[in-house]
Amino acid sequence: MSRRKFDEMSDYDSSRDRKRRRTEAVEIEDRLESLIIRVGEKSTSSLESNLEGLASVLEADINNYKGKILKILIDCAVKMPEKTTIYTTLVGLLNAKNYNFGGEFVDMMAKKLKEALKACMWRTARYVLRFFSDLVNCHVISTNSLLQLLLTFLETARDDNSPQVRSDTYVYAVLSCLPWVGRELYEKKEQDLDRLLKHIEIYVRKRSRKHVPGLRVWRSDRPHPQEEYLDCLWAQICKLRSDMWQEKHIARPYVAFDSILCEALQHNIPQITLPTHHQDNTYLFPWVVFRLFDYTDCPEGPVLPGAHSIERYLIEEHLHNIIKEYHHERKQCAALLLDFPLKHKIPLEYMIVEVVLAELFHLPGPRYIEICYGSLLIELCKLQPATMPQVLAQAVELLFDRIDTMNVCCFDRFVNWFGYHLSNFQFKWSWDDWLEAAQLDSSHPRAKFIIEVLLKAMRLSYRQRIAEVVPEQFDCFVPQKPEPVYKFCADSTADLPGMDTAHRLESAIRAKGTVTELLAVLAELPNPLRESEDTDPPYNPLQIQVFVQSILHLGSKSFSHAFAGISKFLKAFESLVGNHEEAQMLVLKEMHEVWSTHQQMMVMLCDKFLRTQIVSCATVANWVFSKEMVPEFTKSYIWEILHGTIRKMNKHVARLQREVNEARERRVGNDSDDSSDSDNEEQQQQQQRPRPSEEEIERMEEKLEGAQADQKNLFLIIFQRFIMILSEHLVRCDTDGRDFNTHWYRWTIGRLHQIFMMHNTQVERYSQTLSTLLFTQDLDPHILDAFNQFVALRS
Amino acid sequence: MNAPSVDLSSYRDQHFKGSRTEQERHLRLTTTLYVGNLSFYTTEEQLYELFGRSGDIKRIVMGLDKFRKTPCGFCFVEYFTREDAEMCMRYINGTRLDDRIVRTDWDAGFIEGRQYGRGKSGGQVRDEYRTDYDSGRGGYGKIVQQKMLPKLT
């Protein structure tokens, strides 16, 4: 063997060795990660022996893999709050074996906490604090140093220069870790604990609750009080205190290791100063705890923990966390919810239903899209067919019983979900239980609920089917057959102006006439707005009438037909309608005349008119509040249209904002050679685009400003119209000596409230203008309340 | 992260013009979904109502019988964004419409001509060979129907 060859061989070998060593290291790290992540999962041996074994394995590897082990443990501590006590025990055992490692862990967790507080990651911060609390139980952290940290958190309560939501966030974090460490503090530091609780009590008493009414699912506290989250947790903690801090929910594996752990030395949490308030900070949005059931609702099996028992809080938090973690995979999510660790000790189905509905009805908006909850509930029913459908049906009965005082946002979500749910279960429902509703005024919430549910159900099915599944007493509720009404119908006997032109226009369209040919046909119509030869009205209402009626009539077969007609003759729309608000309004009026029995069609057409810019957002808003629409005003589809319009405007502004931001970034020049994603074509294209010039950016900014002005204007129109009709109603009732608090009034004030809730981030930007221009102090307090509740959400 | 409900399925359209890699690249970026196992009677309106619940729909193309030009039990739903299409895969795939479990799958994007059934008789291929009776999809499969004809006469 030549020398050269030998060298090559040895090179080869050593590189392979290095490679092998590296892969071995990676393999060991992966194995450690998997062991740590999976500890506490179902196993043939006891949790205690698994923890003991894992602690020994880790102890042996600490010297070589310390960084990795620390990182995994911290991730688990923050991301798996349901396993807090398992990991605190593990850290406790490691600390007992290796004091320095325990110290490094505490330091890194403190660093994590600082970062989280700075970045407004309140969930992470709360779970680090809870972990620290439980580390006291494991003799890793000294009681005094935890108390010090808790008191630091509570100092925010005395800071008058920051909003209440900030101190609420900190106080909530402290309260939520007391179930873990309350008993320990009570035994070791009773006086300090009392002092801490006194601080909280003073704070809870004095804090403002202006935001609460706006966040309630029901106006009424009967049968169950609807408590704000901090008030509720405070009451639960008080109850826990009176029970001598004994709770039955948290599994505490460290108890078994007491003899080992109590030998260990404790660390102090490094000093933490809280970041000061900054106006860009976001804090926890307050909420009201959703309560649907109490123990009397689930008479069989285990007892439902009371509203103020700490178990209710702990179980609910755990269930919410499962949904948060697994909502992307509904089947897995449903399976995990039903496999809840303590399922035999609690009426699990009831608690799951309450938690899922709490998220669906959450205000101002649900955490995930509504259909997420709808399909999760279907999955739960499929997995547990013996019990889940009954519990859910019972929940619907209770919601229906309490619908009179339900928030309008929640009413809409209830209707949407229930219609969808029924469509997945052949529309089978005990409709007969609701027969009484047929006697009610049609604007009564119960009657309205049934009407709207049947409308939704019909959209997912067809009219005949719905008419057949409900009892005949509900005939009054069954929607009309969705059919177009064409004013210029050939068999119509009425001699309407424009009749002949309409028929000629129809023939022209059928003969595939061009826009110019169509306009020529319409040109023969006289303009009723023209008073003399000299005037030249900006548009011709008769032409618009004939044109819109004919287009919609000929496109009445399906959405696609209607859309195709509008797209094809867009130029004709532009020339007949233009930018005149009255002309645009006529388009909507004619649409409503043709399709008044087909709400979904109107929703879709409005969407199409907006996308094609045939009508403006402002026109749609004015149309919704117009005289012609008064009979439709409390129907849900009108609000579906208005919210869709606002949403479109918001999206438009957001898109322009994004574009400006991107252009500015490119202008500054992000020439970083970060080519890690170079296989991503889109990104490459982006990089290849030339840098925008200053003028280009200015033009984009102007466009954005224009859109923002439109957005502001849209909100001003909507709120002004609300104020007008509500004030008018209040004044009239006052002069007539009638009660103003009618169904109409409650629907209308509810819809006003809904605008604030659904679009709160966008409205917030203009809240200064709104308070100086519209929601002024001289306004009727009933109307002003809606605005004040909205402002209070962030104060 | 493991995300079974939005991952690509094993199905690949055999009529796709282009390489397998190109097809997969399209499937990973597309905002269009193929929707199958619909009833022949399900309308575009119903589809808008259900599929609109996961996001804004750009368009729906109804699947039609090649010869009769009537709905034959499938459609394409195109969303404006990928996220909305993913929501559909997560929450609508496998739920019911007109009492049938609808199946959604990623589609490389609608091309004119793809709205027609590819079966010999004009409908979807699956309706050629089916041996069960499905009232929502024209009764028995086309081949079985033809075999039954002589018996009836």
Side-chain angles (χ1 to χ4, degrees), chain A residues 327-330 371-372 375 416 420 424 426 456 459-461 465 558-560 598 600 604 611 647 651 681, chain B residues 3-5 25 44-46 48-50 53-54 56 60 80 87 90-99:
Chain A
H327 68 278
H328 280 325
E329 299 296 332
R330 65 178 205 263
I371 186 109
C372 166
S375 67
N416 282 337
Y420 166 77
N424 269 272
Q426 299 164 297
K456 278 283 166 204
R459 285 196 198 182
L460 288 163
S461 175
R465 175 102 196 262
S558 73
F559 291 163
S560 286
H598 197 332
Q600 192 194 1
M604 301 300 290
R611 283 189 197 283
R647 224 159 47 88
K651 276 190 173 178
E681 240 176 77
Chain B
S5 44
R25 202 174 55 88
E44 200 186 71
E45 270 93 334
Q46 287 169 274
Y48 266 100
E49 177 63 24
L50 179 63
R53 285 178 181 239
S54 75
D56 286 346
I60 288 180
F80 281 100
M87 291 299 176
R90 287 192 183 108
Y91 305 124
I92 300 181
N93 187 14
T95 63
R96 282 169 197 274
L97 182 62
D98 274 333
D99 301 332

Side-chain angles (χ1 to χ4, degrees), chain A residues 727-758:
Chain A
S727 306
E728 209 181 288
H729 171 83
L730 290 168
V731 169
R732 204 165 16 169
C733 289
D734 192 40
T735 38
D736 298 355
R738 276 185 296 129
D739 183 12
F740 69 89
N741 200 4
T742 60
H743 290 309
W744 180 91
Y745 170 77
R746 282 193 296 270
W747 284 118
T748 306
I749 204 97
R751 292 294 177 190
L752 169 60
H753 178 256
Q754 188 181 28
I755 307 270
F756 282 122
M757 284 291 143
M758 278 177 73

Side-chain angles (χ1 to χ4, degrees), chain A residues 398-504:
Chain A
L398 294 177
L399 291 172
F400 183 76
D401 281 348
R402 298 167 197 173
I403 207 165
D404 298 14
T405 65
M406 195 182 225
N407 183 304
V408 174
C409 299
C410 303
F411 177 92
D412 278 359
R413 289 182 224 161
F414 184 23
V415 167
N416 282 337
W417 164 69
F418 192 52
Y420 166 77
H421 188 77
L422 288 178
S423 82
N424 269 272
F425 294 93
Q426 299 164 297
F427 301 100
K428 280 184 191 147
W429 183 250
S430 42
W431 299 104
D432 286 342
D433 294 350
W434 292 350
L435 284 183
E436 274 176 33
Q439 313 300 320
L440 297 169
D441 182 298
S442 68
S443 59
H444 188 284
R446 290 177 197 219
K448 217 163 185 46
F449 176 75
I450 297 173
I451 293 171
E452 295 290 348
V453 163
L454 296 185
L455 278 162
K456 278 283 166 204
M458 181 177 73
R459 285 196 198 182
L460 288 163
S461 175
Y462 50 99
R463 188 186 171 278
Q464 195 51 38
R465 175 102 196 262
I466 302 307
E468 279 162 16
V469 293
V470 297
E472 57 182 331
Q473 288 91 331
F474 279 6
D475 284 353
C476 54
F477 293 147
V478 174
Q480 283 177 284
K481 193 169 192 314
E483 273 172 333
V485 179
Y486 180 44
K487 190 151 65 176
F488 304 112
C489 181
D491 353 303
S492 164
T493 46
D495 184 24
L496 288 169
M499 189 78 138
D500 297 338
T501 315
H503 295 159
R504 270 197 292 283

Side-chain angles (χ1 to χ4, degrees), chain B residues 6 22 35 48 50 86 104 108 114-115 126 131 148 152:
Chain B
V6 294
E22 209 175 318
V35 181
Y48 266 100
L50 179 63
E86 284 184 354
T104 67
R114 288 196 55 205
Q115 69 269 49
R126 55 169 286 204
T131 52
M148 286 164 73
L152 292 169

Side-chain angles (χ1 to χ4, degrees), chain A residues 618-637:
Chain A
T619 309
V620 175
N622 278 318
W623 172 68
V624 163
F625 288 91
S626 67
K627 260 203 199 71
E628 290 81 1
M629 296 306 281
V630 166
E632 306 290 288
F633 193 69
T634 59
K635 296 182 182 171
S636 293
Y637 83 94

